Amino acid sequence: MRLIDTHCHLNLIENKEDIIKSFEENNVNFVIEVGIDIENSFKSLELADNHKNIYCAVGIHPNESKKLSNKDFDTINILAKNEKVVAIGEIGLDYYREYTTKNEQYYSFVNQFNLAKENKLPVILHIRDAYDDAFNLILNEGVNEDLGVVHCFSSDWKTAKKFLDLGFYIGIDGPITFKNNYKLVEVVKNTPVEYILPETDSPFLTPVPFRGKKNNPIYTKYIITKIAEIKNINPEELSEIFIENAKKLFRRIKI
Ligand SMILES: [Zn+2]
């Protein structure tokens, strides 16, 4: 099975070079390293520049959106011009953790959402306990033509459908392999395979059977296999569909 991981944080893993070296033997076609703040976005781009099969997104996570200024958005804007940058992200709203105020998160999200439009790039959305507000913000600002993915989707089918109706993709992570995750299984059942992207969010959210250990992009295999089981599709066939989905959304992927 050819694997991809459309959302990982290799820079948060100590032995990342060992993991990257093992991509080839594990059939990892490409991965997207996602930025969480300015410094980490620079590192994401550096990692992507050094490895043919690594692309990146640059952006500031809602939890890192404290005391931002125009200068920060200008920096993201400059980084976004690089051809290995395939998206702006991860950006969004996170009411689960209150490291930042709602106002700080809004300011950060709106600025970067519009910056994605300016650069004709899709967005990688991080939304936690804030789906209605994020959805309304997107409607208010006007849906970007290049769309994006709702990363690590964790709400219900009704909410998923609202984003799908706008054209957004749904990112599915390790929690789909967890026991009794009926809500997410229903989302996967109802979402067309052409709108699903497999992602690990490594080093977090490790899927079964490695739950409790550190996650890495190779484990998308377990996520794809689980989705295939739910959709009653051959996993090899499904992983090829997912590769096409990723290339369609993240147009700068050239592999
Ligand atoms: Zn992430």
Side-chain angles (χ1 to χ4, degrees), residues 7-9 34-36 61 90 124 126 151-152 173 199 201-202 204:
H7 192 119
C8 62
H9 304 282
V34 181
I36 50 175
H61 190 288
E90 53 190 292
I124 293 176
H126 171 105
H151 144 66
C152 193
D173 300 54
E199 42 177 61
D201 206 17
S202 299
F204 314 108

Side-chain angles (χ1 to χ4, degrees), residues 93 105-107 109-110 113 132-142:
L93 300 175
Q105 294 193 20
Y106 264 78
Y107 177 65
F109 188 14
V110 168
F113 186 74
D132 285 344
D133 282 3
F135 184 80
N136 290 332
L137 186 147
I138 291 168
L139 285 193
N140 284 341
E141 293 305 309

